[in-house]
Amino acid sequence: MRKQNSDFEARFISEEGSRLKNRDYFGYVELDEFACYVIADGITEITDIESARLAIETVILSFQEKPSMSKWSVKSLLKRANRAMLGKESARRLKASITVVVTDYQKLRYGYVGNTRLRMYRGGAVYRQTRDMSLAQEMVEQEKIAKDELMKHEERNNLYAYLGQKNFKPVVSKKIKLAETDMI
């Protein structure tokens, strides 16, 4: 049982940003051999339907059915969440950004789509981080805007990839060996 030999602490920090209602959700499940942590941000303006919650519930329930951290499994979790968005009846299409982290308590793998951001800190410095799938991120890479402007730029939510689209292409990482005091 790897979980008994590990010390993982889960905390969630979210800021409302420019919206009146925060649409960020966080969920996780820790099993004996694997754990799954998920953060999602609803990017639809529908107030009575929470896209992020639907995405997280779908991922967590799917993970519990068949826990694994293979690349195929992480991509499958994201695809299931996407199908849940596409299958939900609504006047407007549901959309969300999502990041999924799966671990066996020794290594981790992550997958994401949209503009939720994962940062992995090792030794007090950023060791790995995801990049937004947005027009604003492309503007940073083309040096049209400064990197510190990304989080507040008006094009940050102009996404070319997200949950709720038909041509869905998530990014899935390689396995990353964990070190003592790593933070994600």
Side-chain angles (χ1 to χ4, degrees):
M1 291 191 205
R2 293 182 182 147
K3 185 176 184 328
Q4 288 181 338
N5 298 325
S6 303
D7 185 23
F8 274 59
E9 202 174 309
R11 295 183 184 174
F12 171 62
I13 299 170
S14 175
E15 296 178 8
E16 289 183 16
S18 61
R19 297 190 187 127
L20 293 176
K21 185 175 182 186
N22 191 343
R23 298 191 194 292
D24 296 348
Y25 282 88
F26 174 71
Y28 69 98
V29 60
E30 294 176 336
L31 307 172
D32 287 339
E33 299 294 322
F34 295 99
C36 179
Y37 304 89
V38 190
I39 186 169
D41 179 15
I43 53 177
T44 184
E45 295 301 322
I46 301 171
T47 57
D48 60 335
I49 299 174
E50 300 294 344
S51 301
R53 187 180 74 213
L54 174 62
I56 287 179
E57 288 173 354
T58 302
V59 168
I60 295 294
L61 292 172
S62 299
F63 178 79
Q64 287 177 304
E65 288 174 12
K66 192 174 179 185
S68 171
M69 64 180 291
S70 72
K71 189 171 189 171
W72 181 88
S73 294
V74 173
K75 190 176 268 191
S76 177
L77 293 171
L78 292 164
K79 286 183 175 183
R80 278 189 168 186
N82 192 57
R83 282 194 302 272
M85 294 288 191
L86 292 171
K88 188 78 170 177
E89 288 187 30
S90 175
R92 295 179 67 192
R93 188 170 57 172
L94 299 181
K95 298 183 244 177
S97 292
I98 190 168
T99 299
V100 175
V101 176
V102 178
T103 181
D104 64 2
Y105 303 104
Q106 296 173 8
K107 298 177 290 302
L108 71 78
R109 182 185 304 270
Y110 60 85
Y112 70 99
V113 66
N115 63 354
T116 55
R117 186 168 291 119
L118 175 134
R119 284 194 187 100
M120 181 175 186
Y121 296 91
R122 182 170 287 172
V126 175
Y127 178 65
R128 305 252 175 156
Q129 72 179 31
T130 59
R131 57 184 291 281
D132 284 3
M133 297 175 168
S134 69
L135 179 56
Q137 178 69 49
E138 287 181 4
M139 292 170 76
V140 167
E141 291 168 6
Q142 295 168 0
E143 298 180 353
K144 291 182 179 178
I145 64 171
K147 191 174 185 176
D148 61 349
E149 293 178 52
L150 176 65
M151 294 294 288
K152 302 236 186 252
H153 197 275
E154 63 187 11
E155 296 296 347
R156 182 168 185 270
N157 288 322
N158 188 351
L159 303 177
Y160 59 85
Y162 52 86
L163 289 179
Q165 66 184 159
K166 292 181 180 169
N167 295 322
F168 177 71
K169 293 186 177 144
V171 172
V172 179
S173 74
K174 296 179 180 179
K175 286 183 183 176
I176 302 166
K177 187 171 173 52
L178 293 170
E180 193 73 29
T181 72
D182 279 352
M183 290 189 336
I184 299 169

